[in-house]
Amino acid sequence: MNSKISDKDKKDWENFLSNNHNLPDKDVNYKSDNKKKVYTFDLHGYSLDEANSKVEDLINRSYENGVRKLI
């Protein structure tokens, strides 16, 4: 497979490389803000009623604690 880069793409890349502006590090806030924001839980062994109660409790506690993702 032989692919060629267009002249426009080459020019755009050269312009990007010659630009002296600092690019913001978008991961800085993400890394510090995302610690312990994911919670994983397993409902094996629970009855249906127990699992429903546990899920409701987990959702409420996760919301209160700022958890961003439940697995």
Side-chain angles (χ1 to χ4, degrees):
M1 177 179 214
N2 191 6
S3 63
K4 294 189 178 193
I5 299 173
S6 72
D7 289 337
K8 181 187 180 316
D9 287 341
K10 286 180 188 176
K11 185 176 180 179
D12 288 344
W13 182 245
E14 288 170 2
N15 288 337
F16 173 77
L17 292 176
S18 66
N19 189 345
N20 290 330
H21 296 288
N22 288 331
L23 296 175
D25 185 355
K26 296 186 287 184
D27 292 330
V28 169
N29 290 337
Y30 178 76
K31 288 176 187 172
S32 63
D33 189 40
N34 201 30
K35 292 179 182 172
K36 297 185 182 180
K37 298 292 183 184
V38 175
Y39 186 68
T40 303
F41 55 95
D42 182 5
L43 298 173
H44 285 94
Y46 288 94
S47 71
L48 183 57
D49 288 336
E50 291 170 333
N52 283 331
S53 177
K54 184 72 172 171
V55 167
E56 183 177 355
D57 180 53
L58 287 167
I59 291 171
N60 289 331
R61 282 191 298 135
S62 296
Y63 177 78
E64 291 167 1
N65 292 320
V67 174
R68 294 179 180 221
K69 185 175 184 179
L70 297 174
I71 301 173

